[in-house]
Amino acid sequence: MEIASAILRRGLLFVLSSPSGAGKSTIARMLMATDDGLALSVSATTRPIRPGEVDGKDYYFVSDEKFEEMVANGEFLEWAHVFGHRYGTLKREVLKVIESGRDVLLDIDWQGTQQLKQVDPDIVRVFILPPSMAELERRLRARGTDSDEVIQRRMDRAAAEISHWAEYDYVLINNDAEKCRELVHNILKAERLKATRRVFLHDFVREMIGDR
Ligand code: 5GP
């Protein structure tokens, strides 16, 4: 019997965290462009939409009331307060990706990562560090979307986010987006091959060698 390699293991939850401005969204976009087997879980948030963002693609932008209702309905795998707004991973988004036979990329903060680890101990957690705090500030300013006050708050928040780096399975420094993408991709490829993840492989190997 021929078993497609795609079903030889179950989908994995691949978490990318970093302070905002460390290049995580760029890396996430580049990863998905180079790997068909990976799809982003689009989160819901109460923060206002930024210029260039698309509802349903970058986030599902919802009101506080709606978010509250979704929490009450148990629609989230995890959710957290970030910069005074709420962000959450939707169960149905994650299921949609897993059911399509792909792995799930989650761009969430340390609070969400902690919660997700409780739900599924098999998640893979990757933390991306900026080369320095000065470089992080430069990148935040280069985006030109936030006021000085917001940038200062993001820098404070970045230091708090970075303090959780040791809770992750892998930690990288983003000196160069393409190099960083390649390393993250290598991690993903290696994790996919982990023996413990290849649950369907038992049947496959049994067919090859019988019960020994
Ligand atoms: P931004 O507003 O810049 O898009 O995202 C701010 C922060 O919220 C980022 O660190 C991002 O990883 C985090 N975030 C985005 N979606 C989620 C989510 O669904 N859950 C959690 N816990 N954090 C999220």
Side-chain angles (χ1 to χ4, degrees), residues 24 43 47 50 59 78 83 87-89 107-109 112:
K24 175 183 49 180
S43 295
R47 93 149 153 71
R50 293 193 190 123
Y59 286 104
E78 63 75 27
F83 308 127
Y87 295 77
T89 303
D107 170 347
I108 61 177
D109 80 333

Side-chain angles (χ1 to χ4, degrees), residues 16-21 24-25 41-45 47 50 53 58-59 76 78-83 85-90 106-113 115 143 154 157 161:
L16 270 191
S17 293
S18 79
S20 72
K24 175 183 49 180
S25 328
S41 157
V42 179
S43 295
T45 183
R47 93 149 153 71
R50 293 193 190 123
E53 286 184 326
D58 295 288
Y59 286 104
F76 292 111
E78 63 75 27
W79 69 272
H81 286 279
V82 187
F83 308 127
H85 298 293
R86 283 180 288 180
Y87 295 77
T89 303
L90 294 158
L106 299 124
D107 170 347
I108 61 177
D109 80 333
W110 65 271
Q111 305 173 83
T113 307
Q115 293 175 47
R143 295 211 293 214
R154 284 187 179 262
R157 172 80 201 185
E161 181 84 27

Side-chain angles (χ1 to χ4, degrees), residues 6-211:
I7 62 153
L8 289 179
R9 61 178 185 82
R10 60 200 165 91
L12 63 89
L13 304 190
F14 197 71
V15 174
L16 270 191
S17 293
S18 79
S20 72
K24 175 183 49 180
S25 328
T26 310
I27 305 291
R29 225 178 305 118
M30 290 165 83
L31 258 187
M32 286 192 298
T34 42
D35 194 310
D36 291 343
L38 190 66
L40 189 72
S41 157
V42 179
S43 295
T45 183
T46 59
R47 93 149 153 71
I49 191 164
R50 293 193 190 123
E53 286 184 326
V54 178
D55 187 25
K57 184 167 166 274
D58 295 288
Y59 286 104
Y60 295 105
F61 294 94
V62 298
S63 64
D64 279 315
E65 295 70 30
K66 177 72 185 163
F67 198 98
E68 205 56 64
E69 192 185 309
M70 292 161 85
V71 171
N73 289 341
E75 292 184 41
F76 292 111
L77 265 184
E78 63 75 27
W79 69 272
H81 286 279
V82 187
F83 308 127
H85 298 293
R86 283 180 288 180
Y87 295 77
T89 303
L90 294 158
K91 288 178 185 165
R92 66 173 143 82
E93 275 289 307
V94 171
L95 274 178
K96 189 172 77 185
V97 177
I98 295 281
E99 280 167 6
S100 74
R102 288 172 294 174
D103 296 313
V104 191
L105 181 63
L106 299 124
D107 170 347
I108 61 177
D109 80 333
W110 65 271
Q111 305 173 83
T113 307
Q114 281 188 354
Q115 293 175 47
L116 216 56
K117 181 76 179 169
Q118 302 291 321
V119 178
D120 180 1
D122 276 349
I123 64 170
V124 180
R125 300 162 298 179
V126 180
F127 196 92
I128 298 177
L129 285 167
S132 67
M133 292 308 268
E135 176 59 16
L136 184 68
E137 183 163 351
R138 195 195 62 73
R139 289 182 192 173
L140 284 178
R141 290 196 182 281
R143 295 211 293 214
T145 49
D146 297 318
S147 65
D148 275 359
E149 193 202 326
V150 171
I151 287 180
Q152 193 45 55
R153 270 196 284 136
R154 284 187 179 262
M155 289 300 291
D156 292 344
R157 172 80 201 185
E161 181 84 27
I162 289 171
S163 72
H164 290 274
W165 70 273
E167 295 163 21
Y168 286 72
D169 304 305
Y170 300 93
V171 183
L172 297 91
I173 299 173
N174 183 12
N175 284 310
D176 175 281
E178 173 48 30
K179 283 201 189 105
C180 191
R181 186 222 40 96
E182 193 184 349
L183 287 174
V184 176
H185 201 187
N186 290 343
I187 294 167
L188 175 63
K189 287 189 279 192
E191 285 287 343
R192 281 173 173 161
L193 296 175
K194 258 197 175 159
T196 49
R197 261 184 236 299
R198 315 201 82 196
V199 286
F200 300 106
L201 209 53
H202 291 292
D203 301 330
F204 182 70
V205 175
R206 194 174 298 123
E207 285 228 350
M208 272 199 300
I209 63 166
D211 278 318

